[in-house]
Amino acid sequence: MNKLTVRDISVLGKRVLVRVDFNVPLDAEQHIEDESRILGAMPTIRYLVENGAKIILCSHLGRPKGKVVPSMSLAPVAKRLQELIPDVKISFATDVIGEDAKAKVAALNNGEIVLLENLRFHAEEEKNDPEFAKALASYADIYVSDAFGTVHRSHASTEGVAHYLPAVAGFLIEKELSVMGKALANPERPFVAILGGKKVADKIGVITNLLKKCDTLLIGGAMSYTFYKAMGLSIGNSLLDDKSIDLAVQLMADAKARGVRLVLPIDCVVAKEFSADAEHMAVPYDAMPDGYEGLDIGPATSALYADIIKGAKTVVWNGPMGVFELEPYAAGTKAVAKACAECEGVTIIGGGDSASAVNQFGYADRIDHISTGGGASLEFLEGQVLPGVAALNAKPRKKLIAGNWKMNMTTSEAEALVSELIPLVKDADCDVVVCPPYVDIPVVAPMIKGTNIKLGAQNVHWAEKGAFTGEISACMLAELGVSHVIIGHSERRQYFGETDATVNARVKAALAAGLTPIVCVGETLEQREAGITDDLLAAQVNGAFDGLSMDDACRTVIAYEPIWAIGTGKTASDEEANRTIRVIRNTVEKLYGMDAADGLRILYGGSMNAKNAHGLKAMPQIDGGLIGGASLKPADFAKVVLD
Ligand code: ADP
Ligand code: MG
């Protein structure tokens, strides 16, 4: 996970606002019916206590809709929490941003806790009201997000407050994101996804996203019948999501095109009516009788699915196989749960009903990860950006400054430049790369040996060797000590017919030889004025990264060159450059997930120089620069590096 966590910061003596998920079910007497959410937050709370933080816990409970509803008070939770950690002083504030809360927060000593009253007693919470978020933030020096169940909501305590405080993840969020993130971004294969539940429409996002990643997709639950219908089979009185029939057709075609094995039940349990006492039987999938409805997968399907699941290295499961709440129709879900428990690969369950089914059948402790957030895990499986996670501070990326000398500097000039540059940048805390013309490389390489300067080339051919007169291959460069290579520079796109496809081929060749590609993307003035910048950049990134593995993608660097700002006197403002680079990062996120996007370095390449470097480098999205003209003067280049 590429977000900062509580472990990455010092909390001793700091006031730490922690958003937890204490949304526990209470009975009529305010007794907690299920305390697993409180237990889920304990690792973070214990860590903060042990490390001497002043802890301010906040949560919502139920749906009070912006009004004080006494039956939804968090007071019973405070009581239970005190029982769980008797030696820690815990106080309960009877309001959220009122006098009681303020006084109790002010009175905190190191290692003590105050729990604020239900956040949703204020309508401002769900509206993500900035003043309310600021008031919460004013209590603390640091914000810790640990309520995975609500990170898909953009509320004041889950998202808003992160704008006013350093924001890091707690252990629960860290675990959720790292387990599920790895499964989606870099799964061990075979990767089997299992989808069930009621409606295809509810799960369309999940199916579409998982289809891109998994090897096998097992379908169960009521959504199977929509697929059968799409195949022209009769489904009796089974639940049909008739608006999704076309979608089902589309999904089957997509699976085929992607080479994903999409498996539908081969038999089902059908019943005369939706009840536990109804007459029921198992029938083959293509013989569902009229007057009956399908309520579970059949025994043959259970055996087939169990077999497939047991051979998997990664399993992600969302949605029960049948109406598991009724005993006669629970067998399919139970069989799948058992197979997951017995599977030696990583098994992950997301979705509220699926999780409760696995708990009910007693397999929970043999599943690697049961997500604590129903809605949040679904959105995560859909590949959506979770606002409460996006708002957290990413681990800092090491900056990189690369000088592109272009067709300048004879060998003797190169020698002079580099010897002047070496002492100037020796204390740089970023990566420094110089990219001379090919002919200078053999001279510069021995000079920079043992220094902190790295060597880059300005282009590379995509073939390993052969009849390509005038070209240079990646292994030739690597052998000379080159570690980086610029690919798809705007001048190459403009004058030498470089396309996204040739860029992609060069990137692959560079990576195969162990070089770090610096892939250039950017829009011309006409494209900018036509308002197509964002789409164009996304297309260029998609093109350049086409077919790259996760590991290769993470090793790549992108440089954003607004072509309209090069040598035209026009410049992108710091904020504009930052925004556009955010767009590029979002594209990478869509391809490889948030972690990869958070770790990938994106440089700015539009006339960065000694004057403007400081402001640009200070922007959170900008991880350095690809420097043209200013890289030819050692003092200027050094200023860009050090500033
Ligand atoms: P999750 O909460 O795990 O995401 P869903 O909410 O999508 O799962 O679906 C769970 C519901 O689907 C359960 O209540 C279950 O009874 C119902 N269901 C599963 N199979 C069928 C079926 N064949 N007919 C009707 N309902 C079904
Ligand atoms: Mg559900």
Side-chain angles (χ1 to χ4, degrees):
M1 194 190 65
N2 245 312
K3 295 293 183 186
L4 288 179
T5 75
V6 277
R7 251 188 256 104
D8 297 316
I9 48 162
S10 152
V11 298
L12 177 66
K14 300 270 173 61
R15 293 172 304 153
V16 181
L17 177 72
V18 192
R19 174 54 157 105
V20 289
D21 182 1
F22 283 167
N23 181 27
V24 292
L26 297 174
D27 68 13
E29 272 90 51
Q30 317 277 100
H31 291 127
I32 298 168
E33 289 180 317
D34 176 356
E35 64 180 26
S36 48
R37 285 187 170 149
I38 303 178
L39 299 180
M42 288 313 292
T44 299
I45 295 172
R46 284 218 171 85
Y47 176 89
L48 291 170
V49 168
E50 281 159 17
N51 286 277
K54 300 181 169 91
I55 304 149
I56 305 139
L57 301 178
C58 61
S59 175
H60 76 284
L61 193 156
R63 298 204 164 115
K65 305 221 167 95
K67 299 214 170 52
V68 176
V69 180
S71 65
M72 294 182 193
S73 168
L74 278 163
V77 175
K79 194 164 150 256
R80 181 66 191 132
L81 192 62
Q82 186 68 81
E83 287 163 12
L84 289 169
I85 33 176
D87 46 345
V88 177
K89 186 174 171 218
I90 300 176
S91 53
F92 178 68
T94 56
D95 51 26
V96 181
I97 52 170
E99 291 313 313
D100 193 45
K102 279 185 196 140
K104 284 180 174 146
V105 168
L108 279 175
N109 290 310
N110 291 2
E112 293 180 359
I113 296 175
V114 55
L115 171 62
L116 307 181
E117 184 52 288
N118 193 339
L119 291 159
R120 290 192 189 165
F121 285 179
H122 291 261
E124 294 90 339
E125 160 67 358
E126 290 184 81
K127 289 191 192 127
N128 198 359
D129 178 76
E131 293 309 316
F132 183 71
K134 265 188 223 168
L136 283 174
S138 73
Y139 290 144
D141 309 303
I142 294 165
Y143 167 68
V144 174
S145 167
D146 213 25
F148 186 70
T150 49
V151 283
H152 60 310
R153 308 269 182 230
S154 211
H155 293 168
S157 70
T158 60
E159 199 273 343
V161 61
H163 295 282
Y164 307 107
L165 290 173
V168 304
F171 296 124
L172 180 63
I173 298 239
E174 182 188 31
K175 178 167 186 251
E176 291 275 4
L177 295 182
S178 51
V179 180
M180 288 204 286
K182 172 158 192 319
L184 294 189
N186 204 8
E188 289 221 35
R189 297 183 182 278
F191 175 7
V192 176
I194 313 162
L195 282 175
K198 230 176 265 175
K199 282 171 132 187
V200 182
D202 287 352
K203 299 289 164 83
I204 171 70
V206 183
I207 303 179
T208 312
N209 193 37
L210 290 180
L211 259 185
K212 292 186 209 141
K213 327 228 169 206
C214 69
D215 304 299
T216 305
L217 181 60
L218 308 179
I219 303 276
M223 71 163 82
S224 330
Y225 315 125
T226 305
F227 283 89
Y228 288 162
K229 192 78 186 176
M231 292 160 67
L233 296 169
S234 57
I235 59 167
N237 296 339
S238 304
L239 212 66
L240 172 68
D241 182 6
D242 54 2
K243 288 198 194 75
S244 301
I245 294 175
D246 292 343
L247 209 66
V249 172
Q250 181 64 48
L251 289 169
M252 289 189 281
D254 281 358
K256 197 162 184 198
R258 289 181 178 277
V260 172
R261 181 175 171 208
L262 189 150
V263 191
L264 291 164
I266 49 177
D267 61 347
C268 359
V269 174
V270 295
K272 256 277 161 335
E273 57 192 59
F274 191 101
S275 111
D277 331 305
E279 176 204 329
H280 60 272
M281 60 191 172
V283 296
Y285 76 102
D286 52 0
M288 290 182 77
D290 285 344
Y292 284 78
E293 64 179 303
L295 294 180
D296 193 12
I297 56 174
T301 308
S302 289
L304 172 69
Y305 284 11
D307 214 45
I308 295 172
I309 292 164
K310 281 183 205 157
K313 288 263 166 56
T314 304
V315 178
V316 171
W317 177 17
N318 169 264
M321 296 290 100
V323 185
F324 72 96
E325 298 93 335
L326 302 178
E327 211 279 321
Y329 319 113
T333 305
K334 199 169 180 175
V336 164
K338 182 163 179 277
C340 286
E342 286 165 1
C343 171
E344 280 171 14
V346 178
T347 48
I348 297 169
I349 294 177
D353 292 295
S354 326
S356 65
V358 176
N359 277 311
Q360 183 185 318
F361 299 138
Y363 292 117
D365 55 350
R366 290 164 66 194
I367 302 293
D368 290 292
H369 184 67
I370 300 178
S371 179
T372 54
S377 56
L378 271 193
E379 290 195 17
F380 194 77
L381 295 178
E382 285 173 3
Q384 303 260 20
V385 172
L386 304 173
V389 176
L392 303 179
N393 296 27
K395 289 196 172 130
R397 298 176 288 267
K398 193 170 184 195
K399 297 227 190 278
L400 188 159
I401 302 290
N404 176 11
W405 297 0
K406 308 193 177 179
M407 198 174 74
N408 297 296
M409 299 280 139
T410 61
T411 316
S412 52
E413 288 167 339
E415 216 169 344
L417 193 163
V418 172
S419 55
E420 210 178 314
L421 187 64
I422 290 170
L424 291 178
V425 299
K426 69 177 189 341
D427 297 323
D429 57 6
C430 65
D431 288 332
V432 183
V433 180
V434 292
C435 305
Y438 287 138
V439 291
D440 297 344
I441 288 174
V443 173
V444 173
M447 292 179 74
I448 59 165
K449 222 175 189 157
T451 75
N452 61 336
I453 300 178
K454 295 187 177 101
L455 191 51
Q458 296 173 17
N459 190 22
V460 66
H461 195 259
W462 53 78
E464 258 177 66
K465 59 178 178 182
F468 299 101
T469 304
E471 295 294 323
I472 305 277
S473 76
C475 46
M476 292 173 186
L477 295 173
E479 195 180 308
L480 288 176
V482 169
S483 57
H484 291 66
V485 57
I486 302 169
I487 294 173
H489 189 276
S490 61
E491 288 153 16
R492 294 217 62 84
R493 292 183 192 253
Q494 194 178 345
Y495 306 130
F496 303 103
E498 190 84 76
T499 64
D500 290 338
T502 56
V503 166
N504 179 246
R506 292 182 206 276
V507 167
K508 285 178 176 156
L511 287 163
L515 303 181
T516 299
I518 302 175
V519 178
C520 302
V521 296
E523 82 284 22
T524 62
L525 185 61
E526 299 84 79
Q527 290 163 334
R528 174 172 146 93
E529 282 170 354
I532 59 168
T533 298
D534 293 5
D535 291 342
L536 182 91
L537 293 172
Q540 289 177 338
V541 170
N542 282 312
F545 280 65
D546 188 32
L548 291 201
S549 71
M550 174 83 169
D551 288 346
D552 278 349
C554 290
R555 282 167 52 209
T556 303
V557 173
I558 297 177
Y560 166 57
E561 301 179 282
I563 301 170
W564 49 271
I566 302 175
T568 56
K570 295 179 197 254
T571 51
S573 69
D574 298 352
E575 289 72 21
E576 215 174 337
N578 191 65
R579 186 206 71 86
T580 315
I581 289 183
R582 175 80 245 183
V583 171
I584 296 171
R585 202 175 297 288
N586 287 344
T587 306
V588 176
E589 177 165 337
K590 287 204 187 96
L591 291 173
Y592 296 99
M594 188 175 57
D595 251 17
D598 275 346
L600 190 103
R601 292 192 288 185
I602 309 181
L603 315 180
Y604 178 71
S607 308
M608 195 192 268
N609 57 41
K611 282 204 191 73
N612 62 20
H614 188 73
L616 287 162
K617 280 169 72 185
M619 301 310 290
Q621 290 293 331
I622 303 180
D623 303 318
L626 179 60
I627 318 299
S631 72
L632 300 175
K633 296 183 196 124
D636 282 6
F637 189 59
K639 189 154 192 301
V640 174
V641 167
L642 300 171
D643 222 11

